[in-house]
Amino acid sequence: QLAESGGGLVEAGGSLTLSCAATGDTFSRYSISWFRRVPGKERTFVATSPGTSSRAQYEESVKGRFTISRDNGKNTAYLQMNSLKPDDTAIYFCGARYGGDFDYTISGAYEFWGRGTQVTVSS
């Protein structure tokens, strides 16, 4: 199971850190990714922390502003979001899939999802 937290209301230019807490004892072997969804649209990829030694990957619009990280000892992944923009307003979800050999940008590829946390950025 996955559970997101840390969402909220923030002014443009501000920061938030989202957390994704997981249960289980093989967390380090899972790729953990963040997706987001705005009303009326599908979930879209934001960032991934592969369950291998591969580097983190980011969607183009968040590069340099968002940082994904993980603490395998705490079974938790994070998304540090800086320089937030109104366009970042969405429900943010974390997803997990065992291993790393898959197209991480496709939401259907993930085995587990959290319920999401709302992020609202005011202008």
Side-chain angles (χ1 to χ4, degrees):
Q1 287 185 332
L2 302 175
E4 303 92 342
S5 61
L9 173 64
V10 64
E11 291 184 350
S15 298
L16 281 175
T17 300
L18 306 183
S19 298
C20 173
T23 58
D25 57 2
T26 57
F27 180 79
S28 64
R29 299 179 185 177
Y30 279 80
S31 291
I32 304 295
S33 298
W34 289 94
F35 282 68
R36 60 188 178 186
R37 186 178 71 204
V38 298
K41 295 189 177 182
E42 298 292 320
R43 275 186 292 211
T44 58
F45 169 75
V46 175
T48 189
S49 174
T52 63
S53 59
S54 301
R55 296 186 305 171
Q57 302 292 329
Y58 298 91
E59 190 269 327
E60 194 65 33
S61 71
V62 307
K63 284 183 180 178
R65 300 189 298 123
F66 291 12
T67 303
I68 189 171
S69 61
R70 61 195 297 164
D71 183 337
N72 290 329
K74 294 183 178 179
N75 279 16
T76 302
Y78 306 94
L79 186 68
Q80 173 69 44
M81 305 186 295
N82 298 326
S83 302
L84 282 161
K85 304 175 181 180
D87 284 349
D88 295 319
T89 295
I91 300 174
Y92 283 72
F93 299 87
C94 61
R97 171 171 167 154
Y98 190 87
D101 188 19
F102 67 102
D103 187 340
Y104 50 81
T105 66
I106 299 176
S107 63
Y110 291 82
E111 300 171 78
F112 305 103
W113 288 98
R115 293 189 173 186
T117 185
Q118 175 71 47
V119 172
T120 303
V121 184
S122 63
S123 58

